[in-house]
């Protein structure tokens, strides 16, 4: 079965950068996209970015466009989220997810990582 393991979260100053990683193991033949979501306290889990594993096409939420970059290292079976120019409102638990079709709806993803905390504070 598919398993996702996230890492790379931490505490960073506003304007700083972090890179999150998600290692994918198990059978992935039916999972063609990888997405990143985040959830802040008291809020719903929201879409951040998605990448098509076969072609590398990407799509971003407006709130992170031009600041975050999603990418994949096929040799390492790992997807990344490079986060630059971080703001306090980016503070959340970040989750990676695997699905069949690229979508901003969290219900469209079948497997989820455990989440990694990102805190942006001055």
């Amino acid at each position: 079965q598919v398993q996702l393991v996230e890492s790379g979260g931490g505490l960073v100053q506003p304007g700083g950068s972090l890179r999150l990683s998600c290692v994918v193991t198990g059978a992935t033949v039916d999972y063609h996209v990888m997405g990143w979501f985040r959830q802040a306290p008291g809020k719903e889990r929201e879409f951040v970015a998605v990448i098509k594993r076969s072609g590398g096409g990407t799509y971003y939420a407006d709130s992170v466009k031009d600041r975050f970059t999603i990418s994949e290292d096929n040799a390492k079976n790992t997807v990344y989220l490079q986060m630059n120019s971080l703001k306090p409102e980016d503070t959340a638990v970040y989750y990676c997810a695997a699905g069949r079709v690229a979508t901003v709806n969290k219900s469209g993803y079948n497997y989820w990582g455990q989440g990694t905390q990102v805190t942006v504070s001055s």
Side-chain angles (χ1 to χ4, degrees):
Q1 63 179 20
V2 175
Q3 290 185 309
L4 312 178
V5 180
E6 300 146 323
S7 63
L11 176 64
V12 66
Q13 294 286 104
S17 298
L18 284 173
R19 188 177 73 163
L20 306 183
S21 300
C22 178
V23 178
V24 184
T25 61
T28 59
V29 62
D30 293 328
Y31 299 91
H32 303 297
V33 303
M34 293 294 303
W36 285 96
F37 290 75
R38 66 187 183 186
Q39 187 166 22
K43 295 187 177 182
E44 296 183 356
R45 192 170 299 186
E46 67 176 1
F47 170 79
V48 175
V50 64
I51 185 169
K52 298 178 181 179
R53 301 192 69 192
S54 59
T58 59
Y59 181 77
Y60 299 89
D62 288 341
S63 59
V64 306
K65 198 172 299 181
D66 300 323
R67 297 190 298 122
F68 292 9
T69 303
I70 187 170
S71 62
E72 182 178 28
D73 186 332
N74 291 328
K76 296 181 179 180
N77 294 316
T78 302
V79 294
Y80 303 95
L81 185 68
Q82 178 67 47
M83 305 184 294
N84 298 326
S85 302
L86 284 163
K87 306 174 181 179
E89 51 262 45
D90 295 317
T91 296
V93 177
Y94 284 70
Y95 301 87
C96 63
R100 286 178 168 268
V101 180
T103 177
V104 302
N105 191 333
K106 62 181 182 292
S107 66
Y109 295 82
N110 302 105
Y111 291 92
W112 295 83
Q114 80 285 358
T116 185
Q117 177 71 48
V118 173
T119 302
V120 185
S121 177
S122 60

